Amino acid sequence: MTKTVGILGAAKARQPFMIALSLLILTFFYGCGGNSVRTFSIEEVDRFLNSDHGPIVFDRSDSRDTSRWEWVDSLDKNGMTLTWRSKPSRTILGSDSSSSAKWLHMRETMTYDSIPNVAECYEGRLSINSRLKILYHLNFLRSLHNLDPLLYNCDDDLFAQRGALIMAANNERGLNHFPDTSWHCWTPEGANGTAQSCLATEGFFDDEFMTAGVFITEWLIDLGSDPVGHRRWLLDPFARTVAFGRIDLPKIYKNGTSASFGALLIRDDDVLASPLKVQYVAYPFKDYPAALFDKEWFASFSVVADSVNYWNNNSVDFSHSTIAISDENADSVAVTSIEYDNQSYGLPNSLQWKMKALKVGRKYDVGIRNVQIDGVSHSYGYWFRLTKDHPIPY
């Protein structure tokens, strides 16, 4: 049983953040050490599967067919990830968009390489597996929207982890993107992290803590957060890297509740070397796991007006736009609570609304008309269906 305490998201500052990325899809890590690639024998695989160290990603449907495996030795000698050799386009998500049966599953390992100590203001260090898990779940969500997967940026680990430490050390004060120096365990790196990260905390009445999947799901649904800024960061098509920090505190409240505190630092590029392939980001979109959408909360839609320059996308004007939604029987769906803005939470334009009486398993067509971009009217159409049988890697 859980109780949500709060979540916060930070707006993107209008400052260029230049970072040289190696876009080797096999490593998924930037600034994390070596990225040599080699293939392992079945004996080595079995030995690794039965060991206590390091994360592993594998497809359980034919996991012993090593001819289809390629292992990547990244981060350090114990940090190994698995991708498909025969399908180079396959990412850490582990499935082609056309396949609903095969998903990669990551075995459980320790959360920390070095355990945090809040009393001593020590942030600790997350395990490779914890970092891989957050990347895995985030890229799974991005795949549902045809967005490129992110790389993990270890250079931002310190900011995210110390940001989470400040929130944990001052749990009675609530979440804050801009804690001042009076906050316990304040550091410049932690303040940098809180200012740039999505923040979350949740209390648990059992001796459990938030999983990576729960963190990502809460930021995606963004219940109670207006204008769904966390969701927009997760689904930012210009995003390129992510780092994650977390602090878990057992039984910190009088009723025995434990709590987790998380900071997700996503970096995007102001100008891309290659144009984006998507024309918009819609949520929910096509066949979508019902567990990843709250039917009482906002759906959202953002336009990629400029597929190369981030800031040119704030020219999108939804002030005269209309939204029409109908189900597979051509019955209209009531649309309420329409809002729009050009704030820089991820992509700097967003139209959001609520819908009445949605049903799981039913297909809905969405039409958005009269979207103004530099004085020219545009229309968009797509469909979605909330489905329980869509695989969710949680």
Side-chain angles (χ1 to χ4, degrees):
M1 183 176 182
T2 66
K3 180 182 71 174
T4 300
V5 179
I7 50 180
L8 284 176
K12 172 184 171 73
R14 198 179 181 102
Q15 300 174 359
F17 181 82
M18 302 305 294
I19 189 167
L21 290 180
S22 170
L23 296 179
L24 294 175
I25 201 66
L26 292 177
T27 60
F28 296 97
F29 286 87
Y30 171 77
C32 307
N35 57 5
S36 58
V37 178
R38 69 184 181 93
T39 301
F40 286 68
S41 69
I42 190 64
E43 290 79 14
E44 289 176 298
V45 171
D46 282 341
R47 186 164 59 251
F48 188 78
L49 281 169
N50 292 320
S51 70
D52 293 328
H53 65 271
I56 185 170
V57 185
F58 64 99
D59 187 309
R60 54 185 181 176
S61 63
D62 54 356
S63 58
R64 297 183 70 86
D65 181 6
T66 54
S67 66
R68 299 186 61 204
W69 285 8
E70 188 154 348
W71 290 73
V72 183
D73 185 8
S74 63
L75 295 180
D76 57 35
K77 64 181 181 180
N78 291 333
M80 301 176 186
T81 62
L82 168 66
T83 58
W84 293 93
R85 177 192 303 152
S86 59
K87 297 184 178 181
S89 62
R90 187 180 284 264
T91 72
I92 201 169
L93 306 172
S95 174
D96 299 328
S97 58
S98 60
S99 172
S100 62
K102 296 181 178 180
W103 294 98
L104 296 181
H105 291 260
M106 196 172 294
R107 70 191 286 260
E108 296 288 339
T109 56
M110 297 293 290
T111 300
Y112 300 99
D113 280 343
S114 180
I115 298 175
N117 187 325
V118 175
E120 297 183 4
C121 291
Y122 173 60
E123 72 276 4
R125 178 177 173 81
L126 289 182
S127 68
I128 299 167
N129 191 55
S130 291
R131 287 175 274 172
L132 277 172
K133 282 181 178 180
I134 209 75
L135 181 69
Y136 171 55
H137 292 301
L138 179 52
N139 281 344
F140 168 77
L141 296 181
R142 291 176 64 86
S143 75
L144 299 177
H145 300 266
N146 298 324
L147 298 174
D148 291 337
L150 302 187
L151 299 173
Y152 195 94
N153 186 352
C154 291
D155 289 346
D156 280 336
D157 271 344
L158 184 64
F159 302 122
Q161 192 64 21
R162 287 191 175 177
L165 173 65
I166 294 175
M167 297 299 102
N170 301 272
N171 58 82
E172 75 286 351
R173 304 176 76 165
L175 300 179
N176 191 323
H177 282 295
F178 305 104
D180 60 37
T181 55
S182 69
W183 287 52
H184 188 52
C185 298
W186 187 95
T187 57
E189 297 85 0
N192 187 321
T194 60
Q196 299 183 79
S197 298
C198 296
L199 304 176
T201 181
E202 185 159 333
F204 288 77
F205 295 114
D206 302 316
D207 288 331
E208 298 179 1
F209 297 109
M210 290 179 76
T211 65
V214 172
F215 270 116
I216 293 298
T217 300
E218 289 204 355
W219 278 315
L220 176 74
I221 295 175
D222 228 358
L223 189 63
S225 177
D226 190 1
V228 294
H230 306 92
R231 180 192 305 166
R232 289 158 64 176
W233 271 115
L234 268 57
L235 302 181
D236 179 5
F238 284 82
R240 289 295 172 263
T241 68
V242 65
F244 179 59
R246 69 175 298 160
I247 301 289
D248 301 300
L249 298 179
K251 295 181 170 42
I252 62 170
Y253 299 114
K254 292 181 179 179
N255 63 357
T257 303
S258 302
S260 296
F261 300 82
L264 190 76
L265 204 170
I266 295 174
R267 302 277 191 187
D268 56 12
D269 286 345
D270 285 349
V271 179
L272 302 181
S274 301
L276 296 169
K277 297 177 182 179
V278 297
Q279 296 180 322
Y280 56 82
V281 179
Y283 168 88
F285 184 61
K286 296 189 175 179
D287 281 324
Y288 212 80
L292 301 183
F293 180 76
D294 188 317
K295 292 185 290 183
E296 303 299 320
W297 195 236
F298 286 102
S300 57
F301 179 84
S302 297
V303 174
V304 179
D306 191 317
S307 61
V308 173
N309 188 297
Y310 171 92
W311 288 107
N312 287 345
N313 288 286
N314 65 5
S315 65
V316 176
D317 181 4
F318 292 115
S319 61
H320 300 289
S321 300
T322 61
I323 305 168
I325 303 175
S326 59
D327 65 15
E328 54 201 12
N329 299 319
D331 293 328
S332 296
V333 174
V335 176
T336 66
S337 305
I338 298 175
E339 301 178 4
Y340 56 88
D341 68 79
N342 292 94
Q343 298 183 63
S344 54
Y345 298 104
L347 203 60
N349 69 79
S350 180
L351 176 68
Q352 51 257 10
W353 65 92
K354 296 178 182 179
M355 295 170 282
K356 296 286 189 179
L358 292 182
K359 297 185 181 298
V360 173
R362 183 167 296 183
K363 182 179 179 181
Y364 296 92
D365 292 306
V366 180
I368 301 175
R369 304 175 67 85
N370 200 23
V371 178
Q372 297 291 316
I373 305 174
D374 296 326
V376 178
S377 180
H378 296 260
S379 297
Y380 300 88
Y382 62 94
W383 63 271
F384 72 88
R385 176 171 46 217
L386 302 177
T387 173
K388 289 184 176 180
D389 58 4
H390 196 296
I392 305 175
Y394 288 85

